């Protein structure tokens, strides 16, 4: 019979003919047969099944084996013996080099017929040992599936005891080596099915024997934490974790994070590879395990690992949001990674270039998954904007991309940030400030935030960029007895000459700290600036600029009056000091009393929207002052405009290049018989930009606020004036006049007010147009006024005694937030220095258009704590338009040189001409040089350590290809692509592998 069957199978007949002949043979062998004939047929059918070169032959062999198992069971049991199976498993079947791939299938087929056989127990014992040996040989996915199929249907063959634990561990190692070479979608789906079946066996074993779970997980961690693996473990290991009961999570994570035998490098390797698992499409609860391990590391303060891993993997996790099949898990991990990374903007800023494209892709997808993802992503982005404000140039494209999405309220943002922070102790992360490998491309140096000290950093950078003040501070002699000024000199010198990307202002902070400030709390930068300037003005003892004065005296550049006036001023007074006269006129006897006072800044309140309306119950407060501080002078509490008999003349504030519409009156034209004073019309490159800067008639502008500041106030009703001449309370008119313009004009916009209706402080978020060039009306002596008027032919000054001092904008400190007790400060600044190109002619002639064009050519910078970047006046002007909570708060203007300018211009300009940039003292330069050498050594050490640290990490795939593919393959279709199922097989392979 066996010869007949062999002849049929070897014949050239078609398969259908062979099938008919085989049917006759099968019917014949169902009849009783002798033992020898049975063995011959079993040997032939075994050969067909194991070595058949076609599927037809293997099917025939299988069918005959099943017939013998049913009709000749005794002979089948005798043939299917332990020795034969051992030979099959250890030596294989067939000639060397061509061993059969179907041995396990053959054994699986035969087991169903010998379950009741006396030899069954011996066979099961053999298989328990052999399957363990097989998995130790690291078979591929297909062979592992055969083993798992065998053990799933015949659990008697599963190894027991210690061998069972070893089997699970070795099976996990097999999974760790699974790789899918093909990029065809059918092959990939087959691979995923194989992985799922293999990991499913582990699930069955763990359910039956829970004591094998922890040893299995330990082996899994050993694999993913190894730094010696030549090949990266397969992401298929993610399929193992999904079957670990979640109730074991806390204990497992606690043991891992508290195990001293696990090095930081091993832990970082493990968590890095786990984060890669977010791309595994079949994993469940993978995100929960990743987040749990990240939280566990934070609990034991392994912040360096968390920082490295986040910066290394955040972009890859973000790119997986393109794929609906893994989006939910990837988004969970992304949310935690970003919301917990609160000590630095680095991680969030890595994503900024990719956010607009992702938003566009999700909008195109138009699915529930995409909509939900967009809403959560927008909430996350607003949390990051809130936490890391001060980057308007970087955030503008992102804000445009998400402008149509819901905005969370501040309470929700604070809840999310507070819920996910690594630690509530900010000082624990102080040493992990953003790593800046080198100086900013701008050449400028940042300042480290020492715990809500952005208010100080912004003010220091604004003062540093006031070049005349900086030069004067750096030129101070070593014998200067003012400690605070000495510390400022050192700070400025390091900002000028250090090689570090950012330096710590800790020493200066401790010396300039107002005693009523609470450590670690946000403060008002204007209040700090006032304290800083007042403290220096009150305590500075040594007069500065002696060498400059001597040179100028030799050159006869100063008059005796100027010389005496100049030398009697302190440095703060020379740079920031101005004078103002407050006049009060009794409206009954017309007696005028006046009082002159010095100022270092002007605090500008916001006028009502309708300037001719009386104020409502709305009190403007400049800042919160401690009880032991001097109360703000009355000039800071501004008033509504009035007109009366014999008013005091007032010159409006002007912006160069800005002109009121013809026929419109200046708001505070107080003289009935005089034509209203208009801003000077100058046709130059500033004209068009000036119109843009000042905005529409209904918008606020800095000139509006200054006009309001200088407007008269009627003292009446409960606020009547006690006239000494009348010896009684009388109605009166009070007005402030600037009598000496400061070299640097500091303007504080009083944005924080107290609303009597709600009894709460609030921030005025009105957008205020900031002019690049400002004209300030200053009342001067009649002789000087006449000379200036004659030389400059200034129509506005005429014979009124007022002249217009021109000021150039040089710094803008921005407050981001809705309260003075919270938020963030950053600073825009540029260097406005006198040069031969920009100095006005001595005859007072108008500047040429090319001179004015320089105002736009001077580079603007954005100082945000440690980060310094290039910026522009356009960004300064538009910041509130894009970010309503980011508003200009403190402005620095520098007086432009001219006939009416103070002696400081001449002194500083001549000093720069004679000596160039100031050089620090010898001791100071030595300190800077030593610190620069120390910094280079630190960089070299960190580079070596980091190279050794990072070299052990797994190489990440090119995650950005996900975005490129989305851009290029918009029309593709498939099951797991970036769009609504798009992407095709190539993108699917990129997702998983």
């Amino acid at each position: 019979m066996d010869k007949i069957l062999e002849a049929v199978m070897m014949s050239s007949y078609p398969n259908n003919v062979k099938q008919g002949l085989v049917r006759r043979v099968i019917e014949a062998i169902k009849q009783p047969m002798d033992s020898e004939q049975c063995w011959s047929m079993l040997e032939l059918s075994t050969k067909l099944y194991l070595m058949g070169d076609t599927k037809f032959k293997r099917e025939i062999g299988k069918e005959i084996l099943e017939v013998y198992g049913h009709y000749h069971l005794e002979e089948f049991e005798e043939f299917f013996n332990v020795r034969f199976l051992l030979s099959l498993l250890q030596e294989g079947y067939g000639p060397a080099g061509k061993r059969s791939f179907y041995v396990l299938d053959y054994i699986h087929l035969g087991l169903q017929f010998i379950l009741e056989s006396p030899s069954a127990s011996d066979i099961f014992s053999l298989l328990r040992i052999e399957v363990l040996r097989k998995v130790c040989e690291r078979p591929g996915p297909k062979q592992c599936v055969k083993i798992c199929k065998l053990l799933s249907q015949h659990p008697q063959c599963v190894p027991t005891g210690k061998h069972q634990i070893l089997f699970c561990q070795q099976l996990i190692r097999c999974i760790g080596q699974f790789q899918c070479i093909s990029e065809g979608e059918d092959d990939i789906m087959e691979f995923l099915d194989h992985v799922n079946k293999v990991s499913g066996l582990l699930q069955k074993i763990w359910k039956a024997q829970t004591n094998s779970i922890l040893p299995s997980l330990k082996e899994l961690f050993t694999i993913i934490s190894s730094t010696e693996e030549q090949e990266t473990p397969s992401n298929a290991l993610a399929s193992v974790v999904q079957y670990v009961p979640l109730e074991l999570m806390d204990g497992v994570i606690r043991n891992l994070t508290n195990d001293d035998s696990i090095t930081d490098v091993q832990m970082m390797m493990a968590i890095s590879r786990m984060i890669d698992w977010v791309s595994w499409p079949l994993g469940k609860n993978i995100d929960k395990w990743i987040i749990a391990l990240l939280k566990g590391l934070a609990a034991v303060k392994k912040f360096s690992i968390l920082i490295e891993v986040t910066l290394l993997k955040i972009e890859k996790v973000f790119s997986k949001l393109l794929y609906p099949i893994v989006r939910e898990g990837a988004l969970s991990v992304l949310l935690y990674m970003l919301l917990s990374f609160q000590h630095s903007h680095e991680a969030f800023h890595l994503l900024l270039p990719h956010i607009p494209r992702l938003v566009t892709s999700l909008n195109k997808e138009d699915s529930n998954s995409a909509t939900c993802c967009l809403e959560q992503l927008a909430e996350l982005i607003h949390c990051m904007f809130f936490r890391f404000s001060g980057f308007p140039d970087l955030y503008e494209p992102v804000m445009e991309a998400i402008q149509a999405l819901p905005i969370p309220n501040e309470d929700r943002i604070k809840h999310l940030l507070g819920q996910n922070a690594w630690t509530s102790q900010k000082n624990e992360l102080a040493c992990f400030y953003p790593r800046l490998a080198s100086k900013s491309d701008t050449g400028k140096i940042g300042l480290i935030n020492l715990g809500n000290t952005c208010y100080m950093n912004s003010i220091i950078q604004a003062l540093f960029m006031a070049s005349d003040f900086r030069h004067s501070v750096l030129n101070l002699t070593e014998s200067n007895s003012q400690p605070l000024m000495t510390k400022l000199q050192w700070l400025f010198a390091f900002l000028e000459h250090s090689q570090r990307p950012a330096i710590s202002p800790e020493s200066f902070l401790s010396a300039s700290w107002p005693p009523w400030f609470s450590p670690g709390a946000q403060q008002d930068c204007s209040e700090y600036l006032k304290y800083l300037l007042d403290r220096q003005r009150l305590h500075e003892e040594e007069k500065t600029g002696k060498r400059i004065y001597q040179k100028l005296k030799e050159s006869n550049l100063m008059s005796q009056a100027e010389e005496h006036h100049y030398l009697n001023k302190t440095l703060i007074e020379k740079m920031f000091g101005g004078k103002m006269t407050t006049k009060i006129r009794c409206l009954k006897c017309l007696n005028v009393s006046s009082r002159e006072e010095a100022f270092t800044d002007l605090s500008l309140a916001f006028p009502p929207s309708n300037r001719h309306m009386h104020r409502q119950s709305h009190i403007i407060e400049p800042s919160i002052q401690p009880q032991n501080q001097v109360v703000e002078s009355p000039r800071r509490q501004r008033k509504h405009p009035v007109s009366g008999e014999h008013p005091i003349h007032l010159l409006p504030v002007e912006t160069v290049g800005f002109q009121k519409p013809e026929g419109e009156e200046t708001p505070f034209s107080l003289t009935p018989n005089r034509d209203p004073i208009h801003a000077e019309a100058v046709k130059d490159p500033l004209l068009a930009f000036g119109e843009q800067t000042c905005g529409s008639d209904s918008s606020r502008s800095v000139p509006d606020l200054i006009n309001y500041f200088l407007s008269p106030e009627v003292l009446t009703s409960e606020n009547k004036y006690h006239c000494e001449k009348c010896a009684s309370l009388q109605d009166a008119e009070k007005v402030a006049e600037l009598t000496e313009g400061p070299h640097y004009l500091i303007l504080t916009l009083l944005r924080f007010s107290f609303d009597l209706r709600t009894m709460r402080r609030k921030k005025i978020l009105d957008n205020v147009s900031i002019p690049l060039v400002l004209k300030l009306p200053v009342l001067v002596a009649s002789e000087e006024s006449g000379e200036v008027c004659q030389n400059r032919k200034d129509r506005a000054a005429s014979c009124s005694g007022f002249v217009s001092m021109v000021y150039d904008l040089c710094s803008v400190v921005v407050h981001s937030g809705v309260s003075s007790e919270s938020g963030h400060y950053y600073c825009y600044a540029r260097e406005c220095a006198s040069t031969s190109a920009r100095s006005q002619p001595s005859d007072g002639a108008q500047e040429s258009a090319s001179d004015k064009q320089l105002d736009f050519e001077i580079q603007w910078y954005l100082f945000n704590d440690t980060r310094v970047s290039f910026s522009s006046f356009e960004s300064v002007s538009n910041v509130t338009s894009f970010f309503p909570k980011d508003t200009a708060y403190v402005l620095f203007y520098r007086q432009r040189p001219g006939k009416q300018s103070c002696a400081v211009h001449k002194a500083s300009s001549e000093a720069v001409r004679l000596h160039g940039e100031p050089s620090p003292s010898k001791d100071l330069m030595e300190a800077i040089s030593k610190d620069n050498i120390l910094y280079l050594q630190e960089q070299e050490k960190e580079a070596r350590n980091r190279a050794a640290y990072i070299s052990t990490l797994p190489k990440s795939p090119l995650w950005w290809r996900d975005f490129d593919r989305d851009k290029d393959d918009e029309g593709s279709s498939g099951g797991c692509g970036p769009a609504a199922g798009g992407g095709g097989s190539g993108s699917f392979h990129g997702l998983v592998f």
Side-chain angles (χ1 to χ4, degrees), residues 67-282:
V67 170
Y68 272 89
H70 285 292
Y71 293 93
H72 305 280
L73 181 58
E74 184 177 347
E75 287 78 7
F76 187 89
E77 290 177 351
E78 185 179 354
F79 181 83
F80 201 77
N81 59 68
V82 172
R83 181 175 296 181
F84 175 60
L85 295 181
L86 180 63
S87 173
L88 284 178
L89 290 168
Q90 292 188 353
E91 300 175 11
Y93 188 91
K98 293 184 179 180
R99 301 300 186 187
S100 173
F101 185 74
Y102 303 100
V103 169
L104 288 172
D105 301 276
Y106 177 81
I107 294 174
H108 189 195
L109 173 66
L111 281 179
Q112 60 182 312
F113 301 110
I114 57 91
L115 294 178
E116 305 297 330
S117 168
S119 62
S121 60
D122 293 335
I123 293 176
F124 292 149
S125 297
L126 170 68
L127 290 177
R128 283 195 288 269
I129 296 174
E130 286 301 308
V131 293
L132 175 58
R133 184 184 62 79
K134 279 287 185 183
V135 296
C136 289
E137 293 175 353
R138 305 285 183 273
K142 292 183 178 180
Q143 284 293 92
C144 282
V145 168
K146 294 178 186 294
I147 293 174
C148 293
K149 184 178 180 181
L150 171 67
L151 299 185
S152 294
Q153 292 191 9
H154 301 286
Q156 308 95 317
C157 301
V158 176
T160 58
K162 292 182 179 180
H163 286 172
Q164 184 181 88
I165 294 175
L166 182 59
F167 174 80
C168 292
Q169 292 173 332
Q170 293 303 314
L171 191 60
I172 289 173
R173 285 203 169 269
C174 290
I175 296 174
Q177 294 186 355
F178 286 177
Q179 299 295 335
C180 182
I181 308 302
S182 173
E183 293 191 5
E185 188 164 340
D186 290 340
D187 293 333
I188 293 172
M189 295 305 298
E190 182 185 40
F191 174 78
L192 294 176
D193 180 61
H194 288 162
V195 173
N196 204 35
K197 288 178 178 177
V198 175
S199 59
L201 174 64
L202 285 172
Q203 181 190 22
K204 293 178 180 178
I205 295 175
W206 289 347
K207 280 186 175 181
Q209 296 292 332
T210 55
N211 62 340
S212 62
I213 298 177
L214 292 181
S216 301
L217 291 182
K218 185 176 180 180
E219 187 70 17
L220 174 63
F221 185 82
T222 301
I223 296 171
I224 63 176
S225 65
S226 173
T227 59
E228 300 175 357
E229 298 284 344
Q230 294 182 350
E231 292 187 5
T232 302
S234 171
N235 282 351
L237 287 171
S239 65
V240 175
V241 176
Q242 67 180 328
Y243 294 123
V244 180
L246 293 179
E247 55 266 25
L248 298 179
M249 180 182 290
D250 290 342
V252 170
I253 298 300
R254 187 164 52 251
N255 289 337
L256 282 178
T257 54
N258 288 280
D259 190 341
D260 294 335
S261 66
I262 300 174
T263 66
D264 285 357
V265 173
Q266 289 175 322
M267 183 61 76
M268 184 173 174
M269 183 72 75
I271 187 62
S272 296
R273 286 169 171 164
M274 284 182 68
I275 290 174
D276 288 340
W277 293 350
V278 298
S279 62
W280 185 255
L282 300 179

Side-chain angles (χ1 to χ4, degrees), residues 497-513:
H497 300 286
S498 178
Q499 293 301 314
R500 293 182 183 273
I503 60 175
S504 171
E506 185 173 5
S507 177
F508 185 76
L509 174 64
S510 61
S512 64
W513 182 271

Side-chain angles (χ1 to χ4, degrees), residues 65 277 423 464 480 561 595 700 712 851 943 976 979:
L65 285 170
W277 293 350
T423 174
F464 178 79
N480 175 44
R595 175 171 57 91
R700 308 274 193 198
D851 291 333
C976 307

Side-chain angles (χ1 to χ4, degrees), residues 396-452:
E396 185 178 319
V398 177
M399 182 62 83
E400 289 181 344
I402 65 170
Q403 60 185 345
L405 297 171
I407 301 175
N409 59 44
E410 189 168 333
D411 290 340
R412 170 65 176 167
I413 290 175
K414 289 180 178 178
H415 171 73
L416 290 173
L417 291 173
Q419 188 180 41
N420 293 280
W422 286 335
T423 174
S424 59
Q425 305 298 319
K426 296 181 180 178
N427 59 339
E428 291 181 341
L429 289 167
C431 59
F432 299 107
Y433 208 80
R435 296 180 308 276
L436 301 172
S438 60
K439 251 186 180 180
S440 162
D441 293 339
T442 63
K444 304 296 182 183
I445 296 175
L447 291 170
I448 294 174
N449 192 313
L450 302 174
N452 280 332

Side-chain angles (χ1 to χ4, degrees), residues 655-661 679-682 686-687 690-691 694-695 697:
T655 52
V656 174
F658 175 69
Q659 187 175 17
K660 292 280 185 180
E680 186 177 12
V682 181
L686 292 174
L687 177 59
E691 292 172 351
C694 291
D697 294 340

Side-chain angles (χ1 to χ4, degrees), residues 26 52 73 289 389 415 560 692 723 741:
I26 290 176
L73 181 58
W289 281 95
S389 56
H415 171 73
Q560 289 187 353
Q692 171 193 332
C723 177

